[in-house]
Amino acid sequence: MGYVVLHIEKAAGTDAAMSGHVERKISPANVTTTLTYLNEELIEFPKGVTNRTEAIQHRLDNAGLERKIGKNQVRALRIVMSGSPEDMKRIRQAGQLDAWCKDSCGWLQKTFGKENVVSAVLHLDEKTPHIHATVAPIVRGERRKAKLEREEGGERKENLPHQERPSPPMCRRCDGEGQTQSLPNHLCRGDGQIRIATRR
């Protein structure tokens, strides 16, 4: 039984430390460095932007925001998209990895807005292929309403659609519909992070 991985996490600031991991300026122990050349940038940066950290700031600077961004406000979302090792191996062997990447980026842009998806990188130098995507969470209007919804449990309701329907591109490549579960030990890196996975 396979599963889909869609991990969404708030990032602090412009997330320069994570950029080091995504861009392989820092190589963790689980990385096969001889395969790092296979990693691929899936989103083209704007002119004059050379890396993920700059891309986050560029989007914030050019989003036409009317309010100053507070120190405690989220400037970026980290997103990891993948599947079970067996499913990802099957997709790769079937020559469908490029199509999966294209569909995944399309899903991100449709879900969060094309201009807000500032980076997406395919990693092929770890055990399981996966995409590290970055979204600048630009929100306009009805801030008060959003606050009220959170106070009434709306934050959980807002997250449910992503948990129940993770990545349509991945789901289409599985053999059946998923059942949502939280798997605290799935591909755990020892940092206590929980990834939302859908079993099929």
Side-chain angles (χ1 to χ4, degrees):
M1 180 181 288
Y3 48 81
V4 176
V5 175
L6 176 65
H7 178 203
I8 303 176
E9 180 184 17
K10 296 176 182 178
T14 52
D15 209 26
M18 187 62 180
S19 292
H21 170 82
V22 172
E23 296 167 355
R24 289 299 188 247
K25 295 174 182 175
I26 301 171
S27 293
N30 63 329
V31 168
T32 304
T33 56
T34 55
L35 298 178
T36 297
Y37 75 96
L38 295 172
N39 295 350
E40 183 180 353
E41 293 275 358
L42 303 175
I43 299 290
E44 185 177 353
F45 293 137
K47 186 176 181 180
V49 174
T50 61
N51 58 52
R52 175 179 176 271
T53 301
E54 290 180 7
I56 294 171
Q57 191 60 51
H58 180 273
R59 175 57 183 146
L60 297 176
D61 291 343
N62 293 277
L65 300 177
E66 297 178 359
R67 298 170 182 257
K68 183 179 179 180
I69 301 174
K71 292 182 179 180
N72 63 336
Q73 289 184 295
V74 177
R75 295 174 179 237
L77 297 176
R78 303 172 180 172
I79 300 175
V80 176
M81 303 175 74
S82 188
S84 63
E86 297 80 12
D87 281 334
M88 295 307 299
K89 181 179 180 180
R90 176 175 53 79
I91 289 171
R92 192 173 185 183
Q93 289 179 340
Q96 295 182 340
L97 193 60
D98 287 345
W100 174 74
C101 289
K102 182 178 179 180
D103 288 350
S104 295
C105 288
W107 180 84
L108 287 166
Q109 292 173 342
K110 182 178 179 180
T111 302
F112 298 101
K114 184 175 181 179
E115 292 181 339
N116 293 333
V117 181
V118 299
S119 173
V121 179
L122 172 66
H123 278 180
L124 294 175
D125 56 359
E126 297 180 52
K127 182 178 179 181
T128 304
H130 57 277
I131 293 173
H132 282 281
T134 308
V135 170
I138 306 299
V139 178
R140 301 181 187 281
E142 299 194 51
R143 294 166 60 91
R144 188 174 301 170
K145 179 180 178 182
K147 181 179 180 181
L148 289 172
E149 287 179 348
R150 276 198 308 278
E151 291 173 350
E152 296 173 1
E155 185 172 359
R156 175 64 177 169
K157 293 177 183 177
E158 290 171 2
N159 287 336
L160 280 175
H162 301 308
Q163 294 174 3
E164 292 173 353
R165 292 177 276 111
S167 168
M170 188 66 200
C171 291
R172 286 199 296 271
R173 288 171 173 80
C174 293
D175 296 330
E177 295 183 0
Q179 180 179 359
T180 302
Q181 295 185 31
S182 180
L183 306 178
N185 59 350
H186 167 54
L187 297 181
C188 180
R189 299 176 299 181
D191 55 9
Q193 295 178 355
I194 297 175
R195 299 185 180 186
I196 300 301
T198 295
R199 291 192 179 278
R200 62 169 174 82

